[in-house]
Amino acid sequence: AVVSTQSGHYGRDQETEEEVSMDMEYAMRIGELQKKVNTSMYTVGWYSSGIIINEYSSLIHAFYKCQCPTPVHLTVDTQLKEQKMKINTHISSQIGVKNGTEGCIFTPVSHTITGAEADQVSLKFFQGLRGNKKTPNFNDQEQIITSCSEMIAQINIVMGHVKKVLSGEAPSDKELGRQLMEVVQSIPNLDGDTITNMLNSHMQDLLAVEYLTYLTRQQLAISARINQIL
């Protein structure tokens, strides 16, 4: 079976050397709220900010077994011990004697990390800031110019290969030609005026969202001050 994870939420828990406690009511309430927003999504497991699996992991995993039949436990190395954010996925299997001492063992399972095109653009931007101590400039216009420049460079590479194939300098590849045809057919036929109107509409929507965000922030600040007074 293939499990797709597209979002998640924070779960409240407190862990000490002697015990671990989890706010189950909070986890269930947040899960219900997310399901109201998107009815096609449901709980498939849980994650932890660490690569260590211990007896407390079994207790938390038992709670999520009530949410789904085979929960997936995802561990994320936030301390970057191997100079990268290592991610592992596990499922559990019951062990022990029937009507006696029982437990579970976590078995690693394979996983693949994929991202939408919008996510890849953002990740590429932050990756380009590696080693740069200056404050990044989040300019939409500059990002569009950079993306267009990269796309033009890729188109030039493809056009150069196509010209070599047509002139006989490079061998033809049916699979590559089929993929290029699918890309060309997927491009919408839009004129310059239509694209300009779409960009202007997008900018208006963005400004409206920023204005609403500003109003919400001000409302929260006013509410916090009133609560302090009362």
Side-chain angles (χ1 to χ4, degrees):
V2 178
V3 177
S4 176
T5 305
Q6 299 179 356
S7 65
H9 61 83
Y10 166 75
R12 296 176 180 173
D13 65 281
Q14 294 181 352
E15 184 175 331
T16 63
E17 295 181 357
E18 298 179 353
E19 63 178 3
V20 59
S21 60
M22 180 178 177
D23 192 341
M24 298 182 181
E25 183 180 353
Y26 172 82
M28 294 180 65
R29 186 167 65 251
I30 294 297
E32 292 174 355
L33 290 174
Q34 283 196 330
K35 197 169 183 63
K36 288 182 179 180
V37 175
N38 192 338
T39 56
S40 63
M41 297 183 68
Y42 52 91
T43 302
V44 296
W46 63 289
Y47 73 93
S48 62
S49 56
I51 58 176
I52 298 177
I53 296 179
N54 51 29
E55 63 273 13
Y56 298 146
S57 303
S58 302
L59 297 175
I60 299 175
H61 201 77
F63 165 74
Y64 284 96
K65 272 195 171 182
C66 301
Q67 308 295 318
C68 56
T70 309
V72 178
H73 178 29
L74 185 146
T75 58
V76 183
D77 181 15
T78 55
Q79 297 181 355
L80 307 179
K81 293 182 178 180
E82 298 182 5
Q83 302 302 319
K84 63 179 182 180
M85 187 174 290
K86 188 176 181 180
I87 298 176
N88 295 321
T89 49
H90 305 80
I91 58 174
S92 68
S93 302
Q94 291 295 125
I95 58 174
V97 181
K98 188 177 181 180
N99 298 327
T101 303
E102 294 184 358
C104 69
I105 182 173
F106 287 90
T107 305
V109 292
S110 59
H111 67 278
T112 303
I113 301 176
T114 59
E117 294 183 2
D119 297 334
Q120 293 176 5
V121 171
S122 301
L123 291 174
K124 186 180 294 184
F125 172 76
F126 286 110
Q127 189 175 13
L129 299 176
R130 183 180 299 175
N132 188 2
K133 297 182 179 180
K134 295 182 179 180
T135 303
N137 184 16
F138 297 97
N139 191 311
D140 291 339
Q141 185 175 0
E142 291 183 2
Q143 292 302 309
I144 294 175
I145 293 174
T146 302
S147 299
C148 290
S149 300
E150 293 177 354
M151 183 178 62
I152 291 173
Q154 294 174 353
I155 292 176
N156 290 333
I157 295 174
V158 174
M159 290 296 296
H161 177 74
V162 171
K163 290 180 180 179
K164 289 181 179 180
V165 172
L166 294 177
S167 62
E169 299 179 15
S172 60
D173 188 335
K174 293 182 179 180
E175 181 62 26
L176 179 59
R178 189 178 299 108
Q179 292 179 1
L180 289 176
M181 181 61 68
E182 291 178 355
V183 171
V184 173
Q185 291 177 349
S186 64
I187 299 175
N189 187 13
L190 300 175
D191 54 22
D193 293 337
T194 303
I195 295 176
T196 301
N197 292 332
M198 291 174 61
L199 288 175
N200 291 334
S201 176
H202 170 71
M203 291 301 298
Q204 292 175 1
D205 293 340
L206 182 61
L207 291 173
V209 171
E210 290 182 352
Y211 180 68
L212 290 174
T213 303
Y214 172 78
L215 290 179
T216 303
R217 190 182 299 115
Q218 294 299 319
Q219 291 287 341
L220 291 174
I222 294 173
S223 177
R225 292 181 180 179
I226 293 175
N227 289 333
Q228 290 178 355
I229 295 174
L230 298 178

